[in-house]
Amino acid sequence: MLVRCGQAVLLIALVIALAVLTLAVVYRVFAMTPAYVYQRSIYYVFKYNPTLVAQGLVLDMNTALLGFARNFSQYMVYDGFNLYLYSIAGVTPVYMSLTELLKEVYGMIVNTVYTPTGLAIPTSPSNVQFSYITNYYGALGTGLRYVYSGGYSSAIFINVTGSYNMPTLGVYNLTLNSVFNLTVSLVKPSTATCTGSLNPITYTATYRCLFNFTSNTYTCTGPGFSKTGVANKPWAPQYGSSLSYIPSTGWVAGSGVNTLMLVYPIDELNGPSGFKISALFRVNSSNFLIGLNFLAQYPSSSVPSTTGYTYYVTPSGVYFNGNNIYSKSPAVGDLENLTVYIVPNAPYGVFSSTPTATLYLYLNGSQVYSTTINLPAWHYVYSSAFNNYAYIFSGQSNLNPSVMLGSWVVVLLSNAVLNAASFKLYSTYQLPTSVYMAVSLNNAPAVGSGLSLSIVKPGGGVTVVKPGYLGFNYTVCNITSNAVIFSVTMPNLNNLTSQLRDYPYYQYLLNVSYNGVNLLLNPWAAGSLKYYGLWSINNIPGGYSATSMGPYWLIIYNTTSNTLLYVFPLWNGGSPTLLEIYQGFYVTAYISGIAYYYTGPVKLPGFLNVMGQLYANYTAYTYSVLLTHEPTGYVMVSEVTRLPPSAPNPVTSTNYIWEFQHFPNQTLPYVYFSYTIMDCTGIGQYSGVSYSNYALIFITPSNTQNGVLLTYYEPGSGGQPC
C-alpha cells in the first residue's frame, strides 16, 4: 500500500539512529558496567566466536539497507520529482545526498558499537553503490497529489562494502558486503514464464467540448475530468471585423466573409482515432454563407480557404473546397448543422510521413460526402537560422499541393448567426486484462512479495484496490531460478462505471511490495503496450512512453498593459507525465534582427486549457518550480513578459523565427523530446517537399465584455526560410 511514512531523510536518520543508540546503550551497560561477570562473559563470547561480530556487522548493514530502501521507495512516490531538480537547477542530485546519509548512518553504527572495544575498526570509509531505474516518480506531497509511471520495469539496487581490522579478535583485512537488489518487470506469457494470453480489450477514450454561444457557456468532459467556462474565451474573431457577439443570440455576422477561430488545436495528435467538428448556424438572409475551415495553418477569410480544407454552404448548394457536392438551398431562419468527421487511416504515423484519413461531411445529421485527405505531420527540416535540424508540424493538401495543413479550426459565416459549436476527440487503445510480472530479489525469487492496484487520480491522490475488487486479482503462476512470476488480472474498463473507467487521465499502477519496499509498474503505459505489441498509435519513437513537443507558437499582445503572452501548445502522445519548469529565466525574441530579452513566470492559461489543467507551484532551497500535469493530448503553457519601451510593436514586426528547444531549465523524464521550429518554411529531409508553419498573433481588446478576450490579427510571416 502507498502509505506515507514522512520525509525519507528524517525517517532514515531518526529510526535507524534511535535503534543504533539503543543498541549502543545496551552494549555499554554490559561491556562497561562494574558488574565484571557480565563484561567478561560477553568479551569471551565475542573472542571465541568472531563470526558473531561479522554477522552483527552484516546484520547492521542489512538493517540500514532495508530502512534506506523502504524510505526511498516511499520518497519516490511522494516527492520523487525532487530527484530531477538538479537537471534544471544544477544542484547535486538528491539521491547522492541520500547515499552519503546511508554511509553516515552505517558509520555511526560501527563507530558507536564496534570500534571503541576494538571489535571492528574500519580501514577505510564504507563504499555505497546505489542505482535505481524506477520508471516512476511522484508528487503526492504537493498540490498535484499524483504519481507518474511510464515503464514496464522498475528496480532499486543498493550495495554496501566495508573493510575492517579486528585487533581484539586477531582478525585483519576482513571485507564484508551487503546487497539489496529488488527488480520488477513485465514479462510476456511463454513456457519459460507462464502460459496464457493477454486477453486485450478495445477501449475508446472520448473527449468532447460543447460551446453554447446563446448562453455563453461551455462544458468539456473526458475520462477523469469535467470543466465549464465562458464559451467566448477560447474563440477569437478577426481583428477589426464586423463579427459581433450578442448575448442570448450568439455570434452575428453581416455581409462579407467573417471568421471566428478556435484557439485550441484540433488534429490527429490529440484525436489519433478520429475527431469531429460541428457548428450550428441560423440563416439570416437569402445571401448567406456558413462553413468550416479545418486543419488550417492559419485563419483565412478566403472561400475556399488558402490553407486547410473548406466545407461550406451557400444559396447555390453545398461545397467542399470549391466543388459542389450536394444540392440544398436553406431558407431564411433555417437552422443548419455542419459536421466534419475525420478518421485517420491505420496504421499511420505522425513523424516524417504523409498520413491520410477518410473525411466524412454531414449536413443536419445526414452524410453528404466522403473522400480521402492528407493530414499534417512532423517533418524533419534543416534550419539555417539555428544551424541544426528540427521538426516542423505541417502538411500538404492532396487536393492542392500549394495549400498547407495545420491544426486550427475556423468558422466562416456571412449574414448568419453562430449559435453553437463543438468538437469530439477519440483515442482507441488495446489494453491487456491479463499481464505477467517477474519479481526478484538479489537475482533470486522474491518469495513473499505482495501486489495491489493503485488508481491514481490527478489532484485526487491514490485509491488502493485490493485483490478481489473491481475485477483485480493475481496468482503465482511460476517460480523460476531467479524470479517469482505473477499472473495479474486487470480491471476490464468496459465493465466499470463511468466514474472509474477514466484511462488514460487516471493511471492504473501495479504496486509491488516486498518487506515494506514498494515499486510501481504501469502495464497500460505506452511503453508497456508497445512491449506487449498492443500499441497501434505510431505517435512515439521506440523506448519512450510520452512526448513533449511544441508544434505552434502563439503571441497574445495586450495593448493596455503592453505585455506579451507567449503560448505553446505542448503535445503528449502517450502516458500522462509531469513537467517541471524552473521559474526565473530569460526568453529571447528576435524582432527585425534585434534581440530582445524578456523574463516572466510560466503559467497555464486557464481560458485556453479547455480540456482541464493541473499544476502546482513548488519551492525547494532557493528554487521556484512550476509543476504541471501533462495529460495525453495538448496542454497550453504560457510565459508572460512585459515589453521594454524600446521594443517595436509586435503586431507590425513579425519577421522572426522561433525554435522551441525547450522551456529553459525544464525537465520531463522518460519522454521523447526534439527541437521544433515555427514561423518559417523548410524542405523535408525525407520527402523533399516544402512545408510551412505560421506563428499566430492575437490582440486582447481594451473592451473584453461578454468574455471576448482575443481577436486574431494575422499570421506571422511563415514564408521565410527556416
Side-chain angles (χ1 to χ4, degrees):
M1 294 178 61
L2 300 178
V3 179
R4 186 166 189 181
C5 299
Q7 294 294 331
V9 174
L10 292 177
L11 282 173
I12 294 173
L14 290 176
V15 174
I16 298 181
L18 286 175
V20 170
L21 291 176
T22 302
L23 179 62
V25 170
V26 172
Y27 179 81
R28 286 179 182 274
V29 167
F30 281 92
M32 306 302 176
T33 180
Y36 181 78
V37 63
Y38 293 151
Q39 181 183 22
R40 299 302 297 174
S41 297
I42 289 180
Y43 173 80
Y44 281 111
V45 167
F46 281 136
K47 179 176 181 180
Y48 292 109
N49 297 276
T51 302
L52 292 178
V53 178
Q55 290 175 342
L57 286 168
V58 173
L59 177 62
D60 290 330
M61 278 185 176
N62 291 339
T63 301
L65 284 184
L66 183 60
F68 180 87
R70 286 171 177 169
N71 286 282
F72 180 79
S73 67
Q74 293 296 316
Y75 175 84
M76 285 297 294
V77 169
Y78 282 90
D79 300 290
F81 70 93
N82 275 314
L83 294 181
Y84 304 99
L85 285 176
Y86 74 92
S87 65
I88 62 176
V91 299
T92 301
V94 176
Y95 71 82
M96 290 298 294
S97 63
L98 294 178
T99 57
E100 292 299 323
L101 179 61
L102 180 57
K103 289 182 182 180
E104 292 297 325
V105 170
Y106 180 66
M108 183 174 63
I109 296 174
V110 174
N111 293 329
T112 301
V113 178
Y114 298 94
T115 301
T117 59
L119 290 176
I121 301 174
T123 60
S124 62
S126 299
N127 179 31
V128 177
Q129 294 177 308
F130 173 49
S131 67
Y132 64 95
I133 309 175
T134 61
N135 281 316
Y136 73 87
Y137 55 109
L140 282 180
T142 72
L144 288 182
R145 300 190 64 217
Y146 202 49
V147 182
Y148 301 81
S149 177
Y152 57 87
S153 63
S154 188
I156 181 171
F157 169 83
I158 312 171
N159 182 11
V160 177
T161 303
S163 181
Y164 307 93
N165 289 332
M166 301 178 177
T168 303
L169 306 177
V171 177
Y172 296 90
N173 297 320
L174 175 66
T175 299
L176 299 177
N177 175 256
S178 182
V179 176
F180 184 90
N181 182 13
L182 182 64
T183 302
V184 180
S185 63
L186 296 180
V187 294
K188 298 177 181 179
S190 69
T191 55
T193 56
C194 293
T195 57
S197 63
L198 299 175
N199 297 316
I201 62 169
T202 299
Y203 168 81
T204 298
T206 303
Y207 307 82
R208 53 176 62 88
C209 280
L210 173 62
F211 301 89
N212 186 330
F213 296 116
T214 302
S215 61
N216 201 14
T217 59
Y218 79 80
T219 300
C220 290
T221 59
F225 73 90
S226 177
K227 184 180 180 181
T228 59
V230 179
N232 283 338
K233 285 187 175 182
W235 292 82
Q238 185 176 10
Y239 181 73
S241 73
S242 62
L243 188 64
S244 59
Y245 177 77
I246 299 178
S248 302
T249 300
W251 288 95
V252 180
S255 59
V257 178
N258 295 270
T259 53
L260 183 67
M261 175 185 173
L262 174 61
V263 193
Y264 185 82
I266 304 296
D267 55 29
E268 77 275 25
L269 293 186
N270 59 358
S273 301
F275 49 97
K276 283 183 180 179
I277 307 161
S278 297
L280 178 64
F281 301 90
R282 189 181 74 242
V283 175
N284 272 359
S285 167
S286 59
N287 183 23
F288 72 92
L289 181 142
I290 54 176
L292 290 169
N293 179 211
F294 53 96
L295 294 178
Q297 272 278 334
Y298 53 85
S300 168
S301 58
S302 300
V303 180
S305 177
T306 56
T307 176
Y309 302 98
T310 313
Y311 172 39
Y312 57 99
V313 181
T314 70
S316 59
V318 182
Y319 294 84
F320 174 64
N321 269 34
N323 299 316
N324 188 292
I325 57 173
Y326 189 70
S327 296
K328 179 178 174 62
S329 181
V332 175
D334 282 357
L335 290 176
E336 301 293 331
N337 189 339
L338 276 64
T339 299
V340 299
Y341 181 28
I342 298 169
V343 181
N345 296 324
Y348 75 101
V350 295
F351 285 93
S352 298
S353 62
T354 304
T356 63
T358 301
L359 168 67
Y360 302 92
L361 301 180
Y362 296 85
L363 182 63
N364 298 324
S366 299
Q367 181 179 325
V368 296
Y369 186 69
S370 67
T371 188
T372 298
I373 61 173
N374 286 348
L375 295 173
W378 293 105
H379 299 279
Y380 214 39
V381 301
Y382 178 74
S383 168
S384 58
F386 295 93
N387 194 30
N388 63 3
Y389 280 91
Y391 280 109
I392 189 170
F393 192 71
S394 182
Q396 186 183 62
S397 170
N398 58 313
L399 305 179
N400 185 348
S402 64
V403 172
M404 292 291 106
L405 305 177
S407 307
W408 304 112
V409 174
V410 181
V411 176
L412 310 170
L413 65 165
S414 174
N415 292 319
V417 178
L418 177 66
N419 296 124
S422 67
F423 66 80
K424 289 184 179 180
L425 308 170
Y426 304 98
S427 296
T428 299
Y429 304 90
Q430 295 292 313
L431 302 178
T433 57
S434 297
V435 297
Y436 304 86
M437 178 188 305
V439 185
S440 67
L441 178 68
N442 297 337
N443 203 32
V447 178
S449 302
L451 286 180
S452 62
L453 177 68
S454 297
I455 302 178
V456 183
K457 308 174 183 180
V462 176
T463 298
V464 177
V465 179
K466 295 182 178 180
Y469 293 90
L470 301 182
F472 165 70
N473 223 321
Y474 71 92
T475 60
V476 175
C477 59
N478 194 6
I479 299 179
T480 68
S481 61
N482 61 359
V484 176
I485 311 295
F486 291 98
S487 173
V488 184
T489 301
M490 296 290 291
N492 185 329
L493 296 186
N494 294 328
N495 295 337
L496 300 183
T497 63
S498 58
Q499 289 77 15
L500 291 173
R501 58 171 187 266
D502 291 324
Y503 176 88
Y505 202 75
Y506 287 11
Q507 293 191 64
Y508 294 74
L509 309 183
L510 292 175
N511 178 23
V512 180
S513 179
Y514 179 84
N515 205 358
V517 181
N518 295 291
L519 291 177
L520 302 179
L521 290 184
N522 189 344
W524 290 346
S528 301
L529 296 179
K530 278 192 172 184
Y531 171 75
Y532 278 135
L534 297 175
W535 183 259
S536 59
I537 303 173
N538 189 20
N539 273 351
I540 305 175
Y544 296 93
S545 192
T547 59
S548 177
M549 299 176 68
Y552 294 104
W553 176 30
L554 311 180
I555 308 166
I556 300 176
Y557 179 42
N558 190 318
T559 56
T560 302
S561 61
N562 196 35
T563 57
L564 294 180
L565 186 70
Y566 292 122
V567 180
F568 298 90
L570 293 186
W571 164 64
N572 176 17
S575 307
T577 187
L578 178 71
L579 174 69
E580 293 179 80
I581 303 173
Y582 172 53
Q583 301 280 37
F585 59 85
Y586 291 96
V587 171
T588 305
Y590 290 90
I591 304 176
S592 300
I594 302 174
Y596 293 90
Y597 298 90
Y598 313 117
T599 183
V602 175
K603 298 182 178 180
L604 272 69
F607 68 101
L608 294 181
N609 278 296
V610 296
M611 302 299 284
Q613 71 233 26
L614 187 67
Y615 65 93
N617 293 309
Y618 177 80
T619 301
Y621 311 107
T622 59
Y623 309 108
S624 177
V625 179
L626 175 71
L627 305 176
T628 72
H629 167 64
E630 190 171 4
T632 302
Y634 282 114
V635 61
M636 310 289 273
V637 182
S638 67
E639 192 261 349
V640 184
T641 68
R642 183 174 296 276
L643 285 171
S646 59
N649 188 328
V651 174
T652 58
S653 303
T654 60
N655 186 28
Y656 49 104
I657 302 171
W658 186 280
E659 183 177 88
F660 186 82
Q661 298 183 348
H662 54 73
F663 275 108
N665 300 317
Q666 152 192 321
T667 181
L668 190 56
Y670 317 131
V671 303
Y672 177 78
F673 176 83
S674 185
Y675 293 174
T676 56
I677 196 164
M678 290 143 274
D679 201 22
C680 62
T681 297
I683 305 299
Q685 182 184 23
Y686 306 106
S687 64
V689 175
S690 177
Y691 298 103
S692 294
N693 182 291
Y694 291 81
L696 302 181
I697 300 175
F698 300 85
I699 298 176
T700 299
S702 56
N703 183 359
T704 58
Q705 293 180 353
N706 300 319
V708 181
L709 294 182
L710 302 174
T711 58
Y712 77 83
Y713 182 76
E714 63 178 20
S717 58
Q720 59 188 321
C722 294

